[in-house]
Amino acid sequence: MSRNYPIRFINGEPFAHSLGKVVCVGRNYLAHIQELNNAVPDEPVLFIKPASAVVPLQQPLEIPAGDVHFETELALLIGHTLKQAKPEETMSAIAGYGLALDLTRRDIQTKLKAEGLPWEVAKAFDGACPLSEFVPAAQIANPHAVMFGMDLNGQAKQRGDSRLMRHGLAELLAYMSQHFTLEPGDVVLTGTPEGVGPLRSGDHLALSLADTYHFATHVI
């Protein structure tokens, strides 16, 4: 964990920049909003995970005690700076596509939200962002129609499709860049589809991206 996290592509090639921040969006899939009984926001709900939250997805996952939930998300690797960008300027800034788990301490988050308090401790703790290697952007034929999924202990749990996002990739990056300068080495998490749930010691996770790239991990 730390800014020394090695960003790599699936062929083993290292990325030219160090890991920066992880900018996340909440409530970007309607079915997920409904399963948690949340309100539908008018604008993207943004939050940040620090570099210290990032760990390699393929290594065994260590999770804190309590009600820790998985949220599988399409991850974007930023390749050049975006600041107050327009949607049509954003897609060329994506250097790669990967998968991430937005691990969430749901019991703590629920308590803090009920009290109207910030909930970084539920989202930004050490190890809260297991992150895969990245597929070079040129190898994703249509980034506006990317399928991804996660199976837990051999059972399908989450299936995502970027076409179902409330805020598409270009729109989302443009919106983020109005508030946070996105720099090379930053990672953007694009929201989770329905099917989130708790993780427990011994769980095995199998993740897929674009029906071609596969990653696996387990909870210790």
Side-chain angles (χ1 to χ4, degrees):
M1 298 179 292
S2 80
R3 293 185 68 88
N4 295 322
Y5 172 87
I7 303 176
R8 294 188 181 277
F9 293 100
I10 55 170
N11 63 2
E13 179 183 350
F15 187 54
H17 301 275
S18 299
L19 175 68
K21 59 188 176 293
V22 181
V23 184
C24 311
V25 60
R27 307 183 190 181
N28 203 26
Y29 285 84
L30 182 59
H32 173 60
I33 296 173
Q34 293 170 339
E35 75 175 341
L36 293 187
N37 197 30
N38 285 323
V40 178
D42 294 329
E43 296 181 332
V45 176
L46 304 183
F47 60 96
I48 287 179
K49 291 178 184 272
S52 56
V54 179
V55 293
L57 175 65
Q58 294 93 323
Q59 78 174 23
L61 302 182
E62 298 184 53
I63 59 175
D67 187 23
V68 178
H69 281 210
F70 58 82
E71 298 187 5
T72 309
E73 308 202 9
L74 178 66
L76 313 179
L77 175 62
I78 301 301
H80 68 71
T81 301
L82 290 175
K83 182 178 177 65
Q84 298 182 348
K86 299 177 181 178
E88 60 269 23
E89 300 169 337
T90 60
M91 298 302 291
S92 63
I94 302 174
Y97 296 82
L99 293 175
L101 294 174
D102 171 16
L103 298 185
T104 304
R105 302 180 75 171
R106 191 72 73 200
D107 49 348
I108 294 176
Q109 183 193 40
T110 299
K111 177 178 181 293
L112 292 172
K113 286 169 63 176
E115 296 173 355
L117 298 173
W119 31 266
E120 279 83 358
V121 293
K123 286 280 193 179
F125 56 89
D126 288 352
C129 187
L131 181 65
S132 77
E133 296 169 328
F134 286 90
V135 178
Q139 295 183 26
I140 299 295
N142 182 3
H144 301 292
V146 179
M147 308 284 288
F148 62 97
M150 192 277 280
D151 293 355
L152 181 68
N153 300 324
Q155 295 187 339
K157 285 295 182 181
Q158 291 193 274
R159 294 293 183 265
D161 183 340
S162 61
R163 290 172 293 187
L164 300 179
M165 293 178 179
R166 298 182 61 245
H167 307 282
L169 302 185
E171 175 191 356
L172 183 61
L173 290 174
Y175 182 84
M176 287 179 171
S177 78
Q178 308 305 310
H179 301 278
F180 313 110
T181 298
L182 298 176
E183 301 173 311
D186 285 351
V187 173
V188 169
L189 303 193
T190 57
T192 194
E194 65 180 315
V196 304
L199 285 176
R200 297 180 176 87
S201 177
D203 282 343
H204 288 260
L205 294 77
L207 299 90
S208 64
L209 173 62
D211 296 324
T212 302
Y213 307 98
H214 301 275
F215 310 93
T217 189
H218 67 278
V219 183
I220 57 176

